[in-house]
Amino acid sequence: MGISEGDIINALDARKDYILGNLENVTLKALRKDLESDLGLEKDALKPWKSLLSQTKTKAPEAVEKVEAEKEVKKSQQDKKGREFSARFLRMRNICKMATITVPVSVYRKSNTDQDMENEILDLLKKNGLEEKPGKAAILEVKEKLQLQRDLDGIDTSNIIEDGPRSRRRQATARCLKEASVSEEDEEDSVEEDEDSSEASGNDPEDSVFTAAVDDQEDPPSTMKSKRPKLQWCSLRPIVAAQGIKRTIKQSFSSKGSNHATSLGKERAYRNFDYSAFKSCVWDLEQRFLPSRVESVVQYREQSLALKLRTVTDIKWLSISWNPDLAHIGTRELEPRRGSASEAFTFGDAVQRNLRGMILNGVSMPEMWERVAKLSFGERADDFPRYYLYVEIMNKHSNVVLCNEDNDILLAANQIGSKKSSQRLVQIKKKYSLPPSPTGLSPDDYTSFEDFKTSILSYASRSDNKRLDYCLSRCFMGVGPTMAREIATKAGLAQESDAASLDSSSWTRFHAEWAHWITSVVQNNFNCGYLNDKESLTVFHSQDGTQLDSSPLQFFGDYYSAYSERDEACRMLSMLRKTVKSQHLKVTKKLASLENQLDSSDAAEATKLLGDLVMCNLHKIKAGAAEVEVDNWETGNKEVIKLDPTMSGVENAEALYKKASKLRRGSSKILPLIESCKGDMAYLEDTEVLLERLEGGAADEGIALLNQIESELVQQGFMKKKSIHVLKEKSQKKAKKASKSVSSDYRRLKSPNGFNILVGRSSQQNDEITMRLAKPGDIWMHARGFPGAHVLLRCSPSQSVENTDLEFAANLAAYYSKGANLAKVDVIMADKKDISKPSTTFLS
């Protein structure tokens, strides 16, 4: 019996539902047998048609998806009872969706027929000003109108705080002594003249920072002393002046710490705390601090701990950090800045309860070539240890673990469960075990030349990367990438040299430095410090016997603390910038909404007039009327007033009166809110500029100011007050009793003739400079039209201020403002007595 392709396709169509329903279970062989049975064929008669059957089964999932999609579309066109919607209803419902009009559930529940549902949704469209077939422009207009109504749906008086605790920050207003601007052409001519004169005198025109001109012909205003020249214009070029300004600031704000302190926002690669550095610090701790008494324990950061150790002759703070990027141990002279972290984190408090008053009587490394230190603590120097503090410095796996005398874990900075590691557990009440042994060969077993060379070449033959420093660091334990590069460099070899291409003399020098490093580590010949240009470091003793630094602990403590301070300052700076930017955007949108709502509130009188017109024409309004034509006595013209057909004439008038009253009440409430928003915007813009200019300061100075700015943002409600902020306020109150306030740390500079100049570094400092520190005779300056720092030139009324001093202070006001990148900035200059401040301004 012959079989055709059409017969097979017909048989497949007959079994379509079965195939689609059992798609996952039906195999190609089973399908072939079923079709042979349906068609009455012999066994294996459809084998020649296997390709056709295979294509059919492959396309089946697409058919299933198509059927499912058709079901979903059909379901969306039905209600819960399975009743299908009409095409007209679906079209109008789609229009509602495009215009963001909410279709109430009652449209589906109360309507029994398609005609009822169509009438209900058509009334909904007409209520919002749309016809059955509106255009795209009309739909977009209704969408924008509804969105605006959602944003400005009346004024909820319960949410308006008239005299709340949140004060508003506004810029201080000043009566300017004299403001005048010259044209761009005049200024360019003056700049060209200055450049010509500077070239004639042999000076570099770029070094001429200030370009302000003074008019000596006009009499000074009555508010100024006659001996003071008046600044006719304050237009400055901050970009030209930036080099001189930065040079002056850098001289005034040089870092008070070590020579490797970095500035905010600057990226710099730091040395990894490898085995050599770790071994040198453990050896130094054993030599200088055994025995020593634990006076105090402070967790001054989330991942940093400090132990105050008292020896017979000295007191030092031992800093232990398990930060993944800056893990290290070291000492520091001064007490760590506790801030709020000492009370926010419980690990340090728990360690203090166990170790305070104990004696550090032992320091060891349980395993050679591994960065794990074991600190023993007992009640006396010669007593058996009661506690062990294990310090594991292994980058992202760094940890600090406190155990009792039986090696049971009491505390752990990072607890490690079975989900984090399958090799060992670090959990409270479990036995402590050392980390898994590192991979690689033990260096002290490969000190001979042949063994060393063979090991390196053997690893290079198995590795794709044959760089000399890479092969050395991967082949042996305790050799990090930094130390491998240092050994290669001291041997006079390039770091990228191929290990297989070295000649015999290179291998001899390389092995000599390798043997020297092993000897230095084993015999503890350490001298840590900077080399050459203060950029590269070394941790082991140089062969020529040069003394670098006497204390590895002190060196690495200073080195890493500088980076820790910088990283913390950069993190806070980034967080505050993001907060200020988002809050500024939020306040801007709120102000735009309030101004739009204020425009709507101006229609209160017009709405009341419509109510009066309706009341005077009640006799013209029939029951169920949707509009009424009246004579407007204000304009003298005919006017058609829309009415609600379900309400009577009086009810329509009352609705108009109610709407007018609501608009009138909203207008009285909106104006104070608009003023408040403007004050918030001014404060946020000032803060944004101050955060930008804070990059020029050192990290330790920046953290204190960032904490102050953060407190201001929390106080003003721009940041949510968390428990950490409560602790910060508490610690700041304690710090005020012991030392001067951070807010007094202004930028302090000297003018060319020696006058003191104060520049605010935060909003609080701006207020203090302007309202508290300014005295009669002082000159106050601020960039006109731009948020920025307040500048105060300190001088008495009897002193004569030269033009160069005024120009220097004016350039500072322009540079520390948001207009610093513009070609010209106007600067306001005023006396103390001419400066006032609104009563609602934020007072620190």
Side-chain angles (χ1 to χ4, degrees):
M1 175 182 178
I3 189 71
S4 64
E5 183 178 346
D7 297 334
I8 298 176
I9 293 176
N10 293 334
L12 287 171
D13 289 339
R15 278 190 169 268
K16 181 176 66 173
D17 294 338
Y18 171 76
I19 295 173
L20 295 178
N22 300 273
L23 188 62
E24 297 180 357
N25 300 322
V26 174
T27 63
L28 187 60
K29 184 177 181 180
L31 177 62
R32 180 168 53 81
K33 288 183 178 181
D34 291 339
L35 292 178
E36 288 173 349
S37 176
D38 293 344
L39 295 173
L41 301 175
E42 297 179 358
K43 183 179 180 182
D44 298 334
L46 293 180
K47 271 191 175 183
W49 301 94
K50 288 173 63 176
S51 59
L52 176 62
L53 298 178
S54 177
Q55 293 176 5
T56 303
K57 191 172 186 300
T58 303
K59 295 180 179 180
E62 300 179 2
V64 173
E65 293 180 0
K66 184 177 180 180
V67 171
E68 293 296 331
E70 292 176 353
K71 289 182 179 180
E72 289 296 329
V73 172
K74 188 174 182 180
K75 185 177 179 181
S76 65
Q77 297 175 355
Q78 297 176 347
D79 59 6
K80 293 182 179 180
K81 300 178 182 179
R83 180 179 55 182
E84 293 188 6
F85 301 134
S86 64
R88 184 186 177 205
F89 175 83
L90 291 174
R91 184 178 65 253
M92 289 188 288
R93 189 179 68 172
N94 189 39
I95 294 172
C96 292
K97 185 176 181 180
M98 294 170 60
T100 66
I101 299 174
T102 303
V103 180
V105 184
S106 58
V107 173
Y108 302 96
R109 290 180 178 176
K110 296 181 180 180
S111 303
N112 297 321
T113 63
D114 291 342
Q115 185 65 33
D116 294 338
M117 296 179 68
E118 292 169 0
N119 293 337
E120 288 285 344
I121 200 167
L122 180 60
D123 293 340
L124 183 62
L125 288 174
K126 290 182 177 180
K127 186 176 181 181
N128 288 274
L130 291 176
E131 299 297 333
E132 182 177 348
K133 296 181 180 180
K136 292 184 179 179
I139 295 175
L140 182 61
E141 182 180 356
V142 172
K143 180 180 178 180
E144 293 177 352
K145 179 181 177 182
L146 291 176
Q147 184 63 36
L148 185 62
Q149 287 181 358
R150 293 187 186 101
D151 295 337
L152 311 175
D153 189 15
I155 294 293
D156 187 0
T157 56
S158 63
N159 293 329
I160 298 176
I161 304 175
E162 296 181 350
D163 297 317
R166 174 176 168 181
S167 52
R168 305 295 175 183
R169 169 74 171 89
R170 295 187 180 90
Q171 290 178 313
T173 57
R175 186 170 73 244
C176 181
L177 298 179
K178 180 67 177 177
E179 299 176 40
S181 297
V182 296
S183 63
E184 286 286 346
E185 293 80 4
D186 295 339
E187 187 178 0
E188 290 174 357
D189 293 340
S190 64
V191 173
E192 291 175 358
E193 293 174 1
D194 290 340
E195 292 177 355
D196 294 338
S197 61
S198 62
E199 291 175 356
S201 60
N203 296 328
D204 188 355
E206 290 185 356
D207 292 336
S208 180
V209 175
F210 309 108
T211 59
V214 178
D215 186 3
D216 296 329
Q217 297 179 359
E218 278 192 37
D219 295 332
S222 58
T223 55
M224 292 285 290
K225 300 298 179 181
S226 59
K227 59 179 65 179
R228 286 187 180 174
K230 179 184 67 60
L231 199 65
Q232 181 191 12
W233 61 272
C234 303
S235 300
L236 306 172
R237 295 185 180 273
I239 297 179
V240 178
Q243 185 176 0
I245 294 290
K246 288 183 178 179
R247 181 168 58 252
T248 306
I249 294 170
K250 191 175 292 186
Q251 294 172 356
S252 303
F253 294 93
S254 59
S255 175
K256 300 177 183 178
S258 60
N259 55 7
H260 51 269
T262 57
S263 299
L264 298 184
K266 286 188 177 181
E267 294 294 335
R268 178 180 172 183
Y270 47 83
R271 189 187 195 281
N272 186 28
F273 196 72
D274 56 10
Y275 177 79
S276 302
F278 184 81
K279 181 73 160 51
S280 67
C281 290
V282 172
W283 168 78
D284 192 22
L285 182 63
E286 183 180 5
Q287 296 297 314
R288 297 173 54 205
F289 292 94
L290 287 184
S292 59
R293 178 186 175 88
V294 181
E295 297 286 331
S296 178
V297 179
V298 176
Q299 188 177 357
Y300 59 98
R301 288 198 189 94
E302 183 178 3
Q303 296 174 319
S304 298
L305 194 70
L307 281 70
K308 185 178 182 181
L309 301 179
R310 177 188 291 273
T311 62
V312 178
T313 59
D314 199 4
I315 298 177
K316 294 284 186 179
W317 285 88
L318 177 64
S319 176
I320 303 173
S321 174
W322 57 96
N323 185 300
D325 298 323
L326 297 168
H328 71 281
I329 58 175
T331 57
R332 50 196 306 164
E333 295 287 345
L334 302 177
E335 180 178 357
R337 182 178 54 83
R338 298 182 180 224
S340 58
S342 60
E343 299 181 36
F345 307 115
T346 58
F347 177 72
D349 185 54
V351 173
Q352 168 154 289
R353 287 198 300 269
N354 288 278
L355 296 186
R356 186 174 184 180
M358 303 298 289
I359 304 298
L360 175 64
N361 57 12
V363 178
S364 63
M365 297 180 65
E367 187 174 345
M368 192 63 174
W369 310 114
E370 180 61 294
R371 288 176 290 175
V372 179
K374 180 180 180 181
L375 281 62
S376 305
F377 298 88
E379 295 183 352
R380 297 182 186 179
D382 54 352
D383 277 357
F384 189 80
R386 290 188 55 188
Y387 297 101
Y388 298 106
L389 187 68
Y390 291 92
V391 181
E392 304 172 356
I393 305 297
M394 296 177 291
N395 299 334
K396 66 179 182 179
H397 301 294
S398 300
N399 205 351
V400 177
V401 182
L402 180 66
C403 301
N404 61 10
E405 54 190 359
D406 297 326
N407 237 24
D408 296 328
I409 298 177
L410 301 178
L411 298 167
N414 294 321
Q415 295 197 48
I416 303 174
S418 58
K419 293 184 178 180
K420 292 184 179 180
S421 174
S422 59
Q423 298 186 358
R424 71 160 184 161
L425 300 180
V426 180
Q427 294 178 329
I428 295 175
K429 295 184 179 181
K430 292 187 178 296
K431 291 291 184 180
Y432 174 80
S433 60
L434 292 173
S437 299
T439 58
L441 305 174
S442 178
D444 48 4
D445 294 336
Y446 292 83
T447 56
S448 67
F449 177 81
E450 291 298 332
D451 293 342
F452 172 70
K453 180 179 178 181
T454 303
S455 301
I456 295 292
L457 291 177
S458 176
Y459 184 86
S461 64
R462 303 190 308 268
S463 174
D464 295 334
N465 190 346
K466 303 184 184 300
R467 282 173 52 113
L468 189 62
D469 56 343
Y470 177 82
C471 293
L472 180 61
S473 63
R474 303 292 292 181
C475 185
F476 295 99
M477 295 188 297
V479 185
T482 304
M483 184 53 62
R485 288 191 293 268
E486 186 175 343
I487 293 175
T489 302
K490 288 194 173 186
L493 303 176
Q495 301 172 8
E496 61 276 5
S497 299
D498 192 335
S501 64
L502 295 182
D503 54 20
S504 58
S505 61
S506 299
W507 275 110
T508 302
R509 296 195 308 272
F510 193 34
H511 175 261
E513 288 297 335
W514 165 257
H516 175 68
W517 173 75
I518 295 178
T519 304
S520 300
V521 170
V522 174
Q523 297 181 1
N524 298 318
N525 294 329
F526 297 108
N527 268 306
C528 304
Y530 293 97
L531 292 176
N532 303 327
D533 56 354
K534 302 295 184 182
E535 292 293 331
S536 57
L537 307 178
T538 183
V539 295
F540 59 86
H541 196 283
S542 59
Q543 293 189 16
D544 58 2
T546 304
Q547 296 295 320
L548 299 174
D549 197 295
S550 58
S551 173
L553 278 173
Q554 186 66 45
F555 173 77
F556 282 107
D558 294 341
Y559 180 79
Y560 282 100
S561 63
Y563 285 105
S564 299
E565 294 286 342
R566 184 208 62 179
D567 288 350
E568 182 181 358
C570 290
R571 179 187 58 80
M572 290 188 62
L573 183 63
S574 176
M575 181 268 295
L576 292 177
R577 280 180 175 174
K578 183 177 179 181
T579 300
V580 170
K581 185 177 180 180
S582 62
Q583 290 295 327
H584 186 274
L585 181 61
K586 183 178 179 180
V587 173
T588 302
K589 291 182 178 180
K590 181 180 178 182
L591 181 61
S593 298
L594 290 172
E595 289 176 345
N596 290 334
Q597 190 169 350
L598 183 62
D599 295 338
S600 301
S601 301
D602 294 339
E605 293 301 324
T607 305
K608 180 179 178 298
L609 176 62
L610 293 179
D612 294 339
L613 292 174
V614 171
M615 288 296 295
C616 293
N617 293 272
L618 291 176
H619 59 284
K620 296 182 179 181
I621 301 175
K622 298 180 180 180
E627 59 184 26
V628 60
E629 184 178 5
V630 298
D631 294 323
N632 190 330
W633 57 71
E634 294 286 344
T635 61
N637 300 324
K638 296 284 186 178
E639 184 170 352
V640 177
I641 302 176
K642 299 290 183 180
L643 302 175
D644 188 345
T646 62
M647 301 170 62
S648 64
V650 175
E651 290 174 342
N652 274 286
E654 289 178 352
L656 291 171
Y657 288 141
K658 186 177 180 180
K659 182 178 179 181
S661 177
K662 183 178 180 180
L663 292 174
R664 196 178 296 109
R665 289 196 310 270
S667 178
S668 63
K669 297 292 184 181
I670 290 173
L671 288 174
L673 293 178
I674 290 178
E675 293 299 320
S676 176
C677 282
K678 290 181 178 179
D680 286 344
M681 289 186 65
Y683 167 74
L684 292 171
E685 289 172 355
D686 276 349
T687 305
E688 184 178 5
V689 173
L690 293 168
L691 290 174
E692 291 176 358
R693 295 305 173 196
L694 194 57
E695 288 187 358
D700 52 352
E701 297 173 346
I703 290 178
L705 287 171
L706 290 172
N707 283 327
Q708 180 183 340
I709 293 174
E710 183 183 21
S711 300
E712 290 180 5
L713 291 172
V714 172
Q715 182 181 355
Q716 298 239 58
F718 295 116
M719 291 180 65
K720 292 183 179 180
K721 193 170 186 178
K722 301 179 182 178
S723 58
I724 189 71
H725 297 128
V726 177
L727 294 171
K728 282 186 177 181
E729 292 178 1
K730 183 179 178 181
S731 61
Q732 287 175 359
K733 290 179 181 179
K734 291 181 180 179
K736 277 187 177 181
K737 298 179 181 179
S739 61
K740 67 176 184 178
S741 173
V742 176
S743 62
S744 62
D745 187 20
Y746 315 105
R747 285 189 176 92
R748 301 175 185 271
L749 299 99
K750 291 282 188 180
S751 70
N753 292 319
F755 289 100
N756 292 323
I757 298 178
L758 302 181
V759 182
R761 304 179 69 177
S762 67
S763 297
Q764 182 177 348
Q765 290 186 6
N766 282 345
D767 288 336
E768 291 182 357
I769 286 176
T770 303
M771 307 310 300
R772 186 171 64 86
L773 295 181
K775 298 179 181 179
D778 293 344
I779 299 178
W780 177 89
M781 292 186 182
H782 188 275
R784 181 183 183 184
F786 295 100
H790 294 193
V791 177
L792 190 67
L793 179 64
R794 308 299 299 272
C795 56
S796 62
S798 60
Q799 289 179 303
S800 176
V801 182
E802 300 294 336
N803 300 339
T804 54
D805 299 317
L806 296 175
E807 292 166 0
F808 183 85
N811 269 280
L812 289 174
Y815 178 74
Y816 289 107
S817 71
K818 198 169 186 178
N821 295 327
L822 300 180
K824 183 173 69 174
V825 176
D826 294 339
V827 175
I828 299 174
M829 183 176 72
D831 271 342
K832 159 67 176 175
K833 63 182 181 180
D834 297 322
I835 301 174
S836 61
K837 195 173 189 180
S839 58
T840 56
T841 302
F842 167 72
L843 295 176
S844 302

